[in-house]
Protein backbone atom coordinates (compact mmCIF):
# COMPACT_ATOMS: atom_id res chain seq x y z
CA UNK A 1 0.00 0.00 0.00
CA UNK A 2 1.30 3.44 -0.94
CA UNK A 3 0.53 5.92 1.83
CA UNK A 4 0.48 9.61 0.98
CA UNK A 5 0.05 12.48 3.42
CA UNK A 6 -1.06 15.87 2.14
CA UNK A 7 -0.35 18.71 4.56
CA UNK A 8 -2.63 21.74 4.44
CA UNK A 9 -6.33 21.86 3.56
CA UNK A 10 -6.42 25.09 1.60
CA UNK A 11 -7.31 24.96 -2.07
CA UNK A 12 -3.83 23.73 -3.04
CA UNK A 13 -3.67 20.94 -0.47
CA UNK A 14 -7.22 19.77 -1.17
CA UNK A 15 -6.59 19.82 -4.92
CA UNK A 16 -3.44 17.74 -4.55
CA UNK A 17 -5.20 15.18 -2.36
CA UNK A 18 -8.05 14.97 -4.86
CA UNK A 19 -5.79 14.61 -7.88
CA UNK A 20 -3.73 11.84 -6.30
CA UNK A 21 -6.84 9.95 -5.18
CA UNK A 22 -8.49 10.27 -8.59
CA UNK A 23 -5.35 9.09 -10.39
CA UNK A 24 -4.53 6.33 -7.89
CA UNK A 25 -7.78 5.27 -6.14
CA UNK A 26 -6.02 2.39 -4.35
CA UNK A 27 -3.49 4.67 -2.67
CA UNK A 28 -4.08 5.58 0.96
CA UNK A 29 -4.38 9.39 0.84
CA UNK A 30 -4.81 11.44 4.02
CA UNK A 31 -5.31 15.20 4.20
CA UNK A 32 -3.89 16.72 7.40
CA UNK A 33 -4.69 20.21 8.68
CA UNK A 34 -5.86 22.14 11.70
CA UNK A 35 -7.92 24.51 9.51
CA UNK A 36 -10.55 23.55 6.96
CA UNK A 37 -13.05 25.36 4.81
CA UNK A 38 -14.57 27.88 5.44
CA UNK A 39 -11.69 28.95 7.70
CA UNK A 40 -8.76 28.83 5.25
CA UNK A 41 -7.11 31.91 3.78
CA UNK A 42 -8.47 31.12 0.33
CA UNK A 43 -12.02 30.99 1.67
CA UNK A 44 -11.78 34.63 2.67
CA UNK A 45 -10.15 35.88 -0.51
CA UNK A 46 -11.66 37.75 -3.42
CA UNK A 47 -11.65 34.56 -5.51
CA UNK A 48 -10.28 36.26 -8.63
CA UNK A 49 -8.29 34.51 -11.37
CA UNK A 50 -5.38 36.92 -11.71
CA UNK A 51 -1.64 36.26 -11.18
CA UNK A 52 -0.90 38.47 -8.17
CA UNK A 53 1.87 38.77 -5.58
CA UNK A 54 3.80 35.79 -6.94
CA UNK A 55 7.28 37.23 -6.36
CA UNK A 56 9.75 36.23 -9.03
CA UNK A 57 7.86 33.13 -10.16
CA UNK A 58 8.71 32.74 -13.84
CA UNK A 59 6.31 33.80 -16.57
CA UNK A 60 6.57 30.29 -18.01
CA UNK A 61 5.38 28.74 -14.75
CA UNK A 62 2.58 31.28 -14.33
CA UNK A 63 1.46 30.57 -17.88
CA UNK A 64 1.46 26.80 -17.32
CA UNK A 65 -0.11 26.67 -13.86
CA UNK A 66 -2.41 29.64 -14.37
CA UNK A 67 -3.46 28.54 -17.86
CA UNK A 68 -4.44 25.06 -16.71
CA UNK A 69 -6.43 26.56 -13.83
CA UNK A 70 -8.15 29.00 -16.21
CA UNK A 71 -9.27 26.12 -18.42
CA UNK A 72 -10.52 24.17 -15.38
CA UNK A 73 -12.55 27.16 -14.16
CA UNK A 74 -13.94 27.71 -17.65
CA UNK A 75 -15.13 24.11 -17.73
CA UNK A 76 -16.78 24.44 -14.30
CA UNK A 77 -18.44 27.70 -15.34
CA UNK A 78 -19.70 26.11 -18.57
CA UNK A 79 -21.25 23.23 -16.60
CA UNK A 80 -23.16 25.74 -14.49
CA UNK A 81 -24.21 25.55 -10.87
CA UNK A 82 -20.71 25.98 -9.44
CA UNK A 83 -20.94 29.63 -8.36
CA UNK A 84 -18.31 30.78 -10.84
CA UNK A 85 -18.81 34.09 -12.63
CA UNK A 86 -17.24 35.15 -15.91
CA UNK A 87 -16.66 38.87 -16.42
CA UNK A 88 -14.35 41.52 -17.86
CA UNK A 89 -11.49 42.69 -15.67
CA UNK A 90 -9.80 46.07 -15.92
CA UNK A 91 -6.26 46.58 -14.64
CA UNK A 92 -5.77 50.35 -14.54
CA UNK A 93 -2.90 52.77 -13.89
CA UNK A 94 -3.06 56.46 -13.05
CA UNK A 95 0.44 57.10 -14.38
CA UNK A 96 1.48 56.43 -17.95
CA UNK A 97 3.68 53.37 -18.23
CA UNK A 98 4.71 50.63 -20.59
CA UNK A 99 3.29 47.33 -19.41
CA UNK A 100 4.94 44.10 -20.52
CA UNK A 101 2.53 41.65 -22.12
CA UNK A 102 2.52 38.54 -19.89
CA UNK A 103 2.89 35.12 -21.46
CA UNK A 104 -0.44 34.05 -19.97
CA UNK A 105 -2.17 36.75 -22.04
CA UNK A 106 -2.38 34.32 -24.97
CA UNK A 107 -4.34 31.84 -22.83
CA UNK A 108 -7.17 34.09 -21.64
CA UNK A 109 -10.12 35.49 -23.54
CA UNK A 110 -9.98 39.03 -24.92
CA UNK A 111 -6.65 40.28 -23.57
CA UNK A 112 -5.77 43.70 -24.93
CA UNK A 113 -4.14 46.97 -24.00
CA UNK A 114 -6.63 49.79 -23.53
CA UNK A 115 -6.44 52.65 -26.03
CA UNK A 116 -7.01 56.31 -25.18
CA UNK A 117 -10.68 56.18 -26.14
CA UNK A 118 -11.30 53.32 -23.70
CA UNK A 119 -9.19 54.97 -20.98
CA UNK A 120 -11.11 58.24 -21.35
CA UNK A 121 -14.38 56.33 -20.98
CA UNK A 122 -13.20 54.52 -17.85
CA UNK A 123 -11.77 57.74 -16.42
CA UNK A 124 -15.12 59.51 -16.80
CA UNK A 125 -17.03 56.55 -15.41
CA UNK A 126 -14.84 56.28 -12.30
CA UNK A 127 -13.94 59.97 -11.83
CA UNK A 128 -10.23 59.13 -11.88
CA UNK A 129 -7.77 59.95 -14.64
CA UNK A 130 -6.36 56.67 -15.90
CA UNK A 131 -3.37 56.82 -18.24
CA UNK A 132 -2.77 53.14 -18.99
CA UNK A 133 -4.44 49.79 -18.56
CA UNK A 134 -5.44 46.47 -19.99
CA UNK A 135 -8.40 44.17 -19.91
CA UNK A 136 -9.30 40.52 -20.35
CA UNK A 137 -12.09 38.12 -19.43
CA UNK A 138 -11.59 36.39 -16.11
CA UNK A 139 -13.37 34.15 -13.61
CA UNK A 140 -14.47 35.02 -10.09
CA UNK A 141 -15.10 32.21 -7.65
CA UNK A 142 -17.07 31.88 -4.46
CA UNK A 143 -14.15 30.10 -2.81
CA UNK A 144 -16.13 28.22 -0.12
CA UNK A 145 -18.42 26.83 -2.84
CA UNK A 146 -15.43 25.68 -4.87
CA UNK A 147 -14.01 23.99 -1.78
CA UNK A 148 -17.33 22.21 -1.21
CA UNK A 149 -17.21 20.93 -4.79
CA UNK A 150 -13.63 19.66 -4.44
CA UNK A 151 -14.46 17.96 -1.11
CA UNK A 152 -17.47 16.30 -2.71
CA UNK A 153 -15.19 14.71 -5.31
CA UNK A 154 -12.57 13.76 -2.69
CA UNK A 155 -15.10 12.27 -0.26
CA UNK A 156 -16.72 10.27 -3.05
CA UNK A 157 -13.37 8.49 -3.45
CA UNK A 158 -13.22 7.87 0.32
CA UNK A 159 -10.21 10.12 0.81
CA UNK A 160 -9.27 10.57 4.46
CA UNK A 161 -9.18 13.79 6.47
CA UNK A 162 -7.43 14.24 9.83
CA UNK A 163 -7.60 17.33 12.02
CA UNK A 164 -4.05 17.72 13.33
CA UNK A 165 -1.50 20.48 13.81
CA UNK A 166 1.96 19.31 12.73
CA UNK A 167 5.11 20.82 14.17
CA UNK A 168 7.51 19.76 11.42
CA UNK A 169 7.98 17.50 8.43
CA UNK A 170 9.43 14.98 10.89
CA UNK A 171 6.27 14.87 12.98
CA UNK A 172 5.68 11.31 14.32
CA UNK A 173 2.22 11.24 12.75
CA UNK A 174 3.92 11.03 9.34
CA UNK A 175 6.06 8.01 10.23
CA UNK A 176 4.19 5.45 8.11
CA UNK A 177 3.80 7.63 5.02
CA UNK A 178 6.18 7.19 2.10
CA UNK A 179 5.18 10.47 0.42
CA UNK A 180 4.45 13.84 2.00
CA UNK A 181 2.92 16.57 -0.16
CA UNK A 182 3.58 19.85 1.59
CA UNK A 183 0.92 22.51 0.91
CA UNK A 184 1.19 24.28 4.25
CA UNK A 185 1.20 27.84 2.91
CA UNK A 186 2.42 30.36 5.46
CA UNK A 187 3.02 27.56 8.00
CA UNK A 188 5.83 26.27 5.77
CA UNK A 189 7.95 28.99 7.36
CA UNK A 190 8.07 26.88 10.55
CA UNK A 191 7.21 23.37 9.38
CA UNK A 192 9.87 23.00 6.66
CA UNK A 193 11.39 25.38 7.91
CA UNK A 194 11.67 27.97 5.12
CA UNK A 195 12.68 31.50 6.13
CA UNK A 196 11.85 32.74 2.61
CA UNK A 197 8.13 32.45 3.44
CA UNK A 198 6.49 35.56 4.88
CA UNK A 199 2.94 36.86 5.48
CA UNK A 200 1.25 39.36 3.18
CA UNK A 201 -1.66 40.73 5.16
CA UNK A 202 -4.84 41.34 3.21
CA UNK A 203 -7.92 43.13 4.52
CA UNK A 204 -11.18 43.37 2.57
CA UNK A 205 -14.83 44.33 2.98
CA UNK A 206 -17.81 42.41 1.64
CA UNK A 207 -20.88 44.30 0.48
CA UNK A 208 -24.05 43.65 -1.48
CA UNK A 209 -23.78 45.26 -4.92
CA UNK A 210 -25.67 43.04 -7.38
CA UNK A 211 -25.59 45.71 -10.11
CA UNK A 212 -21.81 45.29 -10.63
CA UNK A 213 -20.71 42.87 -13.33
CA UNK A 214 -17.02 43.60 -13.88
CA UNK A 215 -13.81 43.59 -11.85
CA UNK A 216 -11.63 46.67 -11.59
CA UNK A 217 -8.16 46.98 -10.05
CA UNK A 218 -6.49 50.36 -9.53
CA UNK A 219 -2.85 49.31 -9.47
CA UNK A 220 -1.58 52.68 -8.25
CA UNK A 221 -3.95 53.18 -5.33
CA UNK A 222 -4.15 49.48 -4.44
CA UNK A 223 -7.95 49.36 -4.50
CA UNK A 224 -9.97 46.65 -6.18
CA UNK A 225 -13.63 45.77 -6.64
CA UNK A 226 -14.47 42.11 -7.32
CA UNK A 227 -18.14 41.08 -7.60
CA UNK A 228 -19.24 37.46 -7.62
CA UNK A 229 -22.68 35.87 -7.89
CA UNK A 230 -23.53 36.58 -4.24
CA UNK A 231 -21.54 39.54 -2.88
CA UNK A 232 -18.89 42.07 -3.88
CA UNK A 233 -15.37 42.16 -2.41
CA UNK A 234 -13.77 45.57 -1.82
CA UNK A 235 -10.05 45.78 -1.19
CA UNK A 236 -7.52 45.98 -0.18
CA UNK A 237 -4.14 45.80 1.51
CA UNK A 238 -0.96 43.85 0.84
CA UNK A 239 1.17 44.46 3.92
CA UNK A 240 4.30 42.33 3.97
CA UNK A 241 5.55 40.77 7.21
CA UNK A 242 2.40 41.84 9.03
CA UNK A 243 0.89 39.03 11.11
CA UNK A 244 -2.22 40.87 12.30
CA UNK A 245 -5.54 39.19 11.52
CA UNK A 246 -7.75 41.61 13.45
CA UNK A 247 -9.59 44.34 11.54
CA UNK A 248 -7.67 47.62 11.29
CA UNK A 249 -10.03 50.62 11.32
CA UNK A 250 -7.65 52.78 9.29
CA UNK A 251 -7.48 50.04 6.64
CA UNK A 252 -11.28 49.86 6.64
CA UNK A 253 -11.49 53.60 5.97
CA UNK A 254 -8.86 53.35 3.21
CA UNK A 255 -10.73 50.51 1.49
CA UNK A 256 -14.22 51.96 1.69
CA UNK A 257 -13.24 55.51 0.78
CA UNK A 258 -11.11 54.42 -2.16
CA UNK A 259 -13.65 52.00 -3.61
CA UNK A 260 -16.47 54.52 -3.19
CA UNK A 261 -14.41 57.08 -5.06
CA UNK A 262 -14.12 54.60 -7.94
CA UNK A 263 -17.83 53.68 -7.85
CA UNK A 264 -19.85 56.23 -5.83
CA UNK A 265 -22.91 53.95 -5.81
CA UNK A 266 -21.08 51.72 -3.33
CA UNK A 267 -21.93 54.33 -0.69
CA UNK A 268 -25.37 52.74 -0.58
CA UNK A 269 -24.22 49.11 -0.70
CA UNK A 270 -25.09 47.06 2.37
CA UNK A 271 -21.95 46.18 4.32
CA UNK A 272 -21.86 42.46 5.10
CA UNK A 273 -18.51 41.80 6.74
CA UNK A 274 -14.89 42.84 7.14
CA UNK A 275 -12.17 40.20 6.91
CA UNK A 276 -8.38 40.02 7.22
CA UNK A 277 -6.07 37.12 6.38
CA UNK A 278 -2.45 36.29 5.72
CA UNK A 279 -1.38 35.34 2.21
CA UNK A 280 1.62 32.99 2.02
CA UNK A 281 4.28 35.16 0.40
CA UNK A 282 7.61 33.96 -0.95
CA UNK A 283 10.17 35.25 -3.44
CA UNK A 284 8.85 32.54 -5.80
CA UNK A 285 6.40 29.66 -5.61
CA UNK A 286 8.16 26.50 -4.46
CA UNK A 287 7.03 23.45 -6.39
CA UNK A 288 9.62 20.68 -6.36
CA UNK A 289 10.34 17.21 -4.98
CA UNK A 290 13.12 16.13 -2.66
CA UNK A 291 14.16 12.91 -0.93
CA UNK A 292 14.77 13.24 2.78
CA UNK A 293 15.09 10.58 5.50
CA UNK A 294 13.78 7.87 3.19
CA UNK A 295 10.64 9.76 2.18
CA UNK A 296 9.59 11.68 -0.90
CA UNK A 297 8.57 15.25 -0.12
CA UNK A 298 6.77 17.30 -2.75
CA UNK A 299 6.60 20.98 -1.86
CA UNK A 300 3.82 23.19 -3.19
CA UNK A 301 3.60 26.51 -1.34
CA UNK A 302 4.36 30.22 -1.53
CA UNK A 303 1.53 31.17 -3.90
CA UNK A 304 1.13 34.69 -2.48
CA UNK A 305 -2.16 36.15 -3.68
CA UNK A 306 -2.54 33.61 -6.48
CA UNK A 307 -3.66 30.42 -4.77
CA UNK A 308 -6.98 30.40 -6.62
CA UNK A 309 -5.22 31.36 -9.86
CA UNK A 310 -2.65 28.57 -9.88
CA UNK A 311 -4.11 25.70 -7.81
CA UNK A 312 -5.26 23.34 -10.56
CA UNK A 313 -2.11 23.70 -12.64
CA UNK A 314 0.08 23.31 -9.55
CA UNK A 315 -1.87 20.17 -8.65
CA UNK A 316 -1.13 18.77 -12.11
CA UNK A 317 2.57 19.48 -11.59
CA UNK A 318 2.53 17.78 -8.18
CA UNK A 319 0.95 14.71 -9.77
CA UNK A 320 3.68 14.65 -12.42
CA UNK A 321 6.39 14.79 -9.75
CA UNK A 322 4.71 11.96 -7.86
CA UNK A 323 4.55 9.80 -10.99
CA UNK A 324 8.24 10.46 -11.61
CA UNK A 325 9.21 9.18 -8.15
CA UNK A 326 6.79 6.25 -7.81
CA UNK A 327 9.35 3.68 -8.92
CA UNK A 328 11.55 4.50 -5.93
CA UNK A 329 8.75 4.10 -3.37
CA UNK A 330 8.45 0.84 -1.47
CA UNK A 331 4.87 -0.03 -0.46
CA UNK A 332 4.29 -0.35 3.26
CA UNK A 333 3.12 -3.60 4.82
CA UNK A 334 2.24 -2.08 8.19
CA UNK A 335 -1.28 -1.25 9.18
CA UNK A 336 -2.12 2.19 10.50
CA UNK A 337 -5.14 3.50 12.36
CA UNK A 338 -5.23 6.49 10.01
Amino acid sequence: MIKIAVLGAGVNGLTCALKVKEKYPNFDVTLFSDKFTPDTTGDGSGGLWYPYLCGNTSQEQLMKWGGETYVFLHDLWYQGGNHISVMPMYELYRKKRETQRPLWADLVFGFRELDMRQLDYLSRMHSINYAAGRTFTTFVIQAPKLMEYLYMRYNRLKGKVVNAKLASLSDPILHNFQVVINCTGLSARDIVPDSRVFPIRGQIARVKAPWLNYTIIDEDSGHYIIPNDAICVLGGTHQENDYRTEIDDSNTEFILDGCRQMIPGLEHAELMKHWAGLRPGRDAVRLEAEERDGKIYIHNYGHGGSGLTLFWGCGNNVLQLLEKHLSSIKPTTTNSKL
Side-chain angles (χ1 to χ4, degrees):
M1 172 73 72
I2 301 294
K3 294 176 64 66
I4 297 178
V6 181
L7 312 185
V11 69
N12 275 281
L14 176 55
T15 297
C16 289
L18 170 62
K19 282 188 169 290
V20 173
K21 195 62 179 173
E22 286 187 336
K23 177 73 173 181
Y24 302 103
N26 293 326
F27 284 11
D28 186 330
V29 179
T30 304
L31 182 65
F32 291 92
S33 184
D34 63 335
K35 287 186 179 180
F36 298 88
T37 187
D39 298 320
T40 72
T41 300
D43 282 295
S45 72
L48 174 69
W49 188 100
Y50 177 58
Y52 178 63
L53 298 177
C54 302
N56 297 317
T57 304
S58 74
Q59 284 288 311
E60 290 77 14
Q61 288 173 319
L62 292 179
M63 180 176 67
K64 180 182 185 301
W65 299 333
E68 291 172 7
T69 305
Y70 191 90
V71 170
F72 171 70
L73 294 176
H74 175 266
D75 290 344
L76 282 186
W77 167 77
Y78 189 76
Q79 292 170 17
N82 293 302
H83 301 278
I84 295 174
S85 304
V86 62
M87 67 184 64
M89 180 194 138
Y90 297 95
E91 174 191 303
L92 300 173
Y93 299 86
R94 303 185 184 202
K95 299 177 182 178
K96 185 68 176 177
R97 69 187 67 193
E98 294 295 328
T99 55
Q100 183 179 358
R101 181 183 175 88
L103 293 181
W104 53 260
D106 295 329
L107 302 176
V108 300
F109 298 121
F111 185 97
R112 67 181 184 276
E113 300 290 334
L114 296 172
D115 59 30
M116 286 309 302
R117 179 181 59 83
Q118 294 163 326
L119 289 168
D120 287 345
Y121 172 77
L122 290 166
S123 296
R124 290 194 304 271
M125 187 163 65
H126 297 290
S127 302
I128 296 169
N129 290 323
Y130 290 117
R134 51 195 185 185
T135 185
F136 65 94
T137 300
T138 192
F139 298 97
V140 179
I141 310 154
Q142 273 201 63
K145 298 296 185 181
L146 175 66
M147 297 290 280
E148 286 179 16
Y149 168 78
L150 296 175
Y151 268 115
M152 180 268 294
R153 287 174 56 169
Y154 183 63
N155 292 334
R156 195 166 55 200
L157 296 165
K158 303 189 186 311
K160 299 177 181 178
V161 176
V162 172
N163 190 329
K165 185 176 180 64
L166 279 68
S168 74
L169 295 180
S170 301
D171 195 290
I173 201 171
L174 300 176
H175 176 72
N176 291 323
F177 292 87
Q178 301 102 317
V179 179
V180 176
I181 300 175
N182 173 26
C183 304
T184 50
L186 183 59
S187 296
R189 180 176 177 85
D190 299 316
I191 289 175
V192 174
D194 185 345
S195 62
R196 292 160 65 181
V197 176
F198 59 93
I200 308 175
R201 182 180 179 274
Q203 182 172 318
I204 61 172
R206 292 188 175 91
V207 301
K208 284 187 177 180
W211 63 89
L212 292 178
N213 58 5
Y214 63 94
T215 287
I216 180 170
I217 297 178
D218 187 321
E219 292 285 359
D220 288 321
S221 74
H223 294 97
Y224 51 82
I225 299 169
I226 307 171
N228 62 35
D229 67 346
I231 52 93
C232 182
V233 172
L234 310 181
T237 66
H238 51 279
Q239 298 149 322
E240 295 187 0
N241 296 303
D242 187 336
Y243 282 89
R244 295 175 301 143
T245 56
E246 65 273 12
I247 300 303
D248 183 307
D249 290 341
S250 63
N251 290 166
T252 297
E253 183 179 1
F254 165 79
I255 292 167
L256 295 180
D257 288 351
C259 291
R260 288 167 179 169
Q261 180 189 10
M262 294 164 68
I263 300 181
L266 289 171
E267 182 74 35
H268 307 289
E270 180 183 352
L271 180 62
M272 304 297 293
K273 185 179 181 180
H274 295 288
W275 179 87
L278 305 179
R279 308 177 184 98
R282 196 174 184 272
D283 56 327
V285 175
R286 186 184 185 191
L287 209 170
E288 62 182 355
E290 67 170 337
E291 295 190 31
R292 185 198 299 185
D293 302 325
K295 295 184 188 293
I296 304 297
Y297 292 89
I298 302 176
H299 300 285
N300 178 27
Y301 62 84
H303 300 88
S306 295
L308 286 164
T309 300
L310 307 177
F311 71 97
W312 198 255
C314 287
N316 289 337
N317 204 156
V318 166
L319 196 58
Q320 292 164 1
L321 290 172
L322 175 62
E323 292 169 346
K324 180 179 177 181
H325 287 85
L326 275 180
S327 61
S328 64
I329 299 173
K330 296 180 180 179
T332 183
T333 56
T334 59
N335 292 322
S336 171
K337 295 181 180 179
L338 293 175

